[in-house]
Amino acid sequence: MLYTPESHEPLEPRPWDPDVALTTIREIAADCEASFDSPYWPVHPRDDDGTGPYATLYEGPSGVIYALDLLARRGLVDTTRDYVPVLERLVEVYRAKPEFEEWNHPPSLLGGETGILLALYRLATSPQIANRIAELVAANVADPHHEFMWGSPGTMLAARAIDRPDLWRESADHLRDAWEDSGLWTQDLYGRQEQYLGPAHGFAGCVLALAHEPSEELDRRASDAFRHFAVQEDGLANWPGLAGADLVTRQKDIRMQWCHGAPGMVASLAEIAPGDDEHERLLLSGGELTWRAGPLTKGANLCHGTAGNGLAFLKLFRRTGDELWLERARAFAMHAVAQVERERRALGRGHYSLWTGDPGTALYLALCLDSSATLPGLDDTDFA
């Protein structure tokens, strides 16, 4: 078995409807604005581990503001608030009392000051903000995390966002030097040194960052590791969260989501090795498994939900041009709409988080509307 059936649910038999998708995007944005209690949004029970509320890009208000701004720039929603003072306040809050103090790391893109400043930079571009981001990127060049959330792969995209290719290249050179013969990087996380495979904390996120400067060596080494660690069965493929581990995790399930498992591996590595038939075959095998498993029971979100899994289909559509993958992405989009509606009815309000909640789902719906595949927060074009 390549996935845990109990982690998935039957696909809603709801045909693709762009009007429903657009309406849901606007409802999510309106709910966000109506539920705002400066400088925070209410913490969702799924995210509440007793350490919130949070300020960061991953699941804090800076991520919600980032998503609202991106949707507004695409002409999909109108925002009614001035969020610049809010983000300025959030920077102060973070500096005074960083969240996740065990993992206090200001350079972090998704969990630190860098991400908050990037959201502010989008709304109030200034040399002062760019200079502080540059300081944080430079401080992260040799960071031992070697992953996207805290490490240099994330801040490499921050360097591109402020148009500092020199800083991007410095981090890229160091990341390439740390690339081991196994084809992976070793992550120093949670007090342990392990080798993760997925994009949030491991190999795929490092490759995704380096892929902004394509090379034959990158394609070869990354594709070799992609193949080596694949677990294949009957023409389908999944990947464990950790190198050398079984598919079954410490929690006794098999991950099939963006952060760990086939959907994130496919979404991250669909950008490399063009023309490599074996690499493409494996991408399609992971995409097919994602489809057969169905939407996730964890909700509609990007990190570990239905929208994040649908990103794999959008990437395959961009790579292959096969309309089947766009149809599947849109089928997952309609299911995500139903999941958002279901959770809002149960709680009486939305889930206010870029990576774990409704704003990220709204961005996924926007991608399905225009048939694009730019992953929110991972593609530097999102910050343009």
Side-chain angles (χ1 to χ4, degrees):
M1 177 64 69
L2 295 179
Y3 68 95
T4 303
E6 294 77 18
S7 297
H8 301 263
E9 59 189 38
L11 185 69
E12 289 272 342
R14 195 173 185 178
W16 167 248
D17 188 330
D19 291 333
V20 170
L22 181 57
T23 296
T24 302
I25 290 169
R26 290 174 174 168
E27 287 176 348
I28 288 171
D31 179 45
C32 286
E33 296 225 288
S35 300
F36 181 60
D37 185 12
S38 185
Y40 297 109
W41 274 271
V43 178
H44 193 276
R46 286 180 184 263
D47 296 337
D48 192 359
D49 61 1
T51 62
Y54 319 104
T56 54
L57 199 65
Y58 179 75
E59 58 184 351
S62 55
V64 178
I65 295 167
Y66 162 75
L68 291 174
D69 179 67
L70 187 57
L71 293 168
R73 292 184 188 221
R74 292 188 177 208
L76 299 173
V77 304
D78 295 317
T79 55
T80 61
R81 297 179 183 272
D82 178 8
Y83 288 108
V84 171
V86 177
L87 290 165
E88 292 172 340
R89 173 62 180 149
L90 289 171
V91 173
E92 295 174 359
V93 167
Y94 180 86
R95 289 173 179 171
K97 188 182 183 300
E99 298 139 61
F100 311 109
E101 292 194 14
E102 182 183 357
W103 292 103
N104 174 26
H105 189 61
S108 169
L109 176 67
L110 298 186
E113 184 180 337
T114 297
I116 305 170
L117 286 172
L118 273 176
L120 178 58
Y121 186 73
R122 283 181 60 87
L123 272 64
T125 303
S126 76
Q128 292 78 16
I129 299 172
N131 288 341
R132 175 56 181 160
I133 293 171
E135 290 175 3
L136 293 166
V137 173
N140 222 32
V141 168
D143 181 74
H145 289 107
H146 294 142
E147 51 87 74
F148 192 86
M149 191 163 190
W150 287 292
S152 63
T155 46
M156 285 166 65
L157 298 196
R160 295 177 68 89
I162 59 171
D163 195 24
R164 287 294 302 271
D166 56 317
L167 289 175
W168 184 93
R169 190 153 289 108
E170 184 181 5
S171 288
D173 289 345
H174 192 280
L175 192 61
R176 291 191 194 99
D177 289 343
W179 201 346
E180 301 172 22
D181 291 342
S182 65
L184 305 179
W185 287 264
T186 297
Q187 286 73 45
D188 189 344
L189 287 173
Y190 309 113
R192 301 186 297 269
Q193 289 194 329
E194 296 178 299
Q195 291 183 316
Y196 286 84
L197 295 179
H201 287 311
F203 156 80
C206 295
V207 173
L208 192 63
L210 290 172
H212 287 288
E213 191 174 84
S215 71
E216 291 184 3
E217 182 186 16
L218 173 69
D219 289 351
R220 176 183 59 78
R221 296 190 67 186
S223 189
D224 284 349
F226 183 54
R227 299 173 198 185
H228 179 75
F229 292 101
V231 180
Q232 301 185 63
E233 183 180 301
D234 297 330
L236 306 173
N238 199 1
W239 287 258
L242 288 168
D246 294 332
L247 284 178
V248 179
T249 69
R250 300 181 183 110
Q251 291 74 36
K252 307 303 181 185
D253 64 350
I254 299 175
R255 298 295 166 85
M256 270 281 295
Q257 50 203 43
W258 177 83
C259 50
H260 300 292
M265 295 292 286
V266 171
S268 301
L269 280 92
E271 302 293 332
I272 69 164
D276 184 326
D277 292 341
E278 179 60 19
H279 184 85
E280 185 159 306
R281 183 196 66 77
L282 202 52
L283 289 170
L284 296 174
S285 297
E288 185 63 32
L289 180 67
T290 303
W291 174 252
R292 293 193 191 182
L296 283 158
T297 60
K298 292 180 179 179
N301 66 84
L302 288 173
C303 186
H304 40 260
T306 300
N309 283 20
L311 289 167
F313 304 146
L314 290 175
K315 292 285 187 176
L316 289 173
F317 170 61
R318 182 157 75 182
R319 182 180 178 105
T320 68
D322 186 343
E323 293 278 344
L324 172 67
W325 295 110
L326 179 59
E327 292 171 8
R328 290 178 168 183
R330 287 173 166 171
F332 268 40
M334 298 308 292
H335 191 93
V337 167
Q339 287 179 304
V340 169
E341 293 170 346
R342 187 193 315 159
E343 286 210 0
R344 187 182 297 138
R345 284 194 303 270
L347 191 62
R349 59 173 171 81
H351 190 160
Y352 312 114
S353 163
L354 171 58
W355 279 95
T356 65
D358 299 345
T361 302
L363 292 180
Y364 175 69
L365 296 175
L367 299 184
C368 288
L369 281 172
D370 62 17
S371 309
S372 62
T374 299
L375 191 60
L378 295 185
D379 248 311
D380 58 305
T381 50
D382 283 329
F383 294 111

